[in-house]
Amino acid sequence: MKATEVPAINGAYLFEPTPYADERGFFCRTFDAEVVRSVGLDPNAFVQHSVSRSVRGVLRGLHLRSGAGEAKLVRCSYGRVFDVVVDLRPGSPTYRSRAFFELSGETQLSVYIPAGCAHGFQALTVTADVSYRIDRPHDPAEDVTIAFDDPELAIPWPLPAVSVSERDRKAPSLAEVLRHEGQPA
């Protein structure tokens, strides 16, 4: 497994495993504490692991947490997704930068998303399972959602959004969220 810094998002990393494939399928290590530690992250910081299943065209996000934020390690364990990270940390050198990835069950690539960054994805296959490791227990009272179709962000979602939760559909713009959080819009 190797770790690569994501230039567009300060503190974000891609973790690329080495799948071993044969006629039976494949095997790969999707998490390695030593590799995580080698880039300055604490592998023991992850306290919850969750999975979501989506069908083609489903769009989830853009989500982040208020307060101390939430760091995530995200991987598509089955299918393919278009994954998006937006840096919303005012002091970050990559503030308001965006990064896009294709995560898939074939590659088992993981992306580490630092606290203070918004995250979302769209399922590209009939079924897509996304696994999340997060660094603190989830508190719904701290959930923040930003409009996935905000023109300021201009995210190039590859498919029409066939299904979006009510919360995501009614999400405020980035400018509104920043004003609410006391940041300059």
Side-chain angles (χ1 to χ4, degrees):
M1 175 175 282
K2 79 176 181 184
T4 307
E5 209 168 346
V6 175
I9 307 290
N10 185 52
Y13 292 91
L14 286 175
F15 292 93
E16 184 178 355
T18 306
Y20 298 96
D22 63 21
E23 67 280 352
R24 300 168 297 165
F26 75 88
F27 169 85
C28 79
R29 180 180 307 127
T30 61
F31 182 81
D32 187 314
E34 287 304 313
V35 175
V36 169
R37 198 174 286 112
S38 76
V39 297
L41 303 174
D42 178 4
N44 298 317
F46 299 106
V47 299
Q48 288 184 350
H49 186 175
S50 303
V51 65
S52 69
R53 174 165 287 167
S54 301
V55 298
R56 188 173 195 271
V58 165
L59 201 143
R60 297 181 186 261
L62 299 163
H63 302 150
L64 71 154
R65 299 256 312 269
S66 62
E70 170 184 86
K72 299 177 185 179
L73 188 61
V74 177
R75 174 175 62 90
C76 180
S77 55
Y78 182 81
R80 286 185 309 119
V81 299
F82 176 76
D83 199 77
V84 177
V85 179
V86 181
D87 189 345
L88 295 177
R89 301 167 294 166
S92 170
T94 55
Y95 180 57
R96 293 199 185 193
S97 293
R98 309 163 310 155
F100 311 122
F101 311 94
E102 184 174 294
L103 304 179
S104 75
E106 291 291 315
T107 66
Q108 296 292 316
L109 191 70
S110 296
V111 61
Y112 173 77
I113 303 164
C117 293
H119 174 252
F121 67 88
Q122 185 176 44
L124 301 176
T125 50
V126 171
T127 304
D129 291 346
V130 174
S131 298
Y132 310 79
R133 290 179 187 226
I134 60 173
D135 71 344
R136 62 190 190 103
H138 181 250
D139 180 354
E142 296 178 327
D143 287 349
V144 176
T145 305
I146 298 167
F148 68 90
D149 57 355
D150 186 327
E152 181 180 344
L153 293 172
I155 296 169
W157 300 106
L159 301 172
V162 298
S163 182
V164 178
S165 73
E166 185 173 340
R167 179 183 114 184
D168 290 351
R169 190 176 21 266
K170 293 180 175 180
S173 69
L174 174 60
E176 291 172 270
V177 169
L178 294 178
R179 274 195 300 278
H180 182 266
E181 297 292 318
Q183 297 179 29

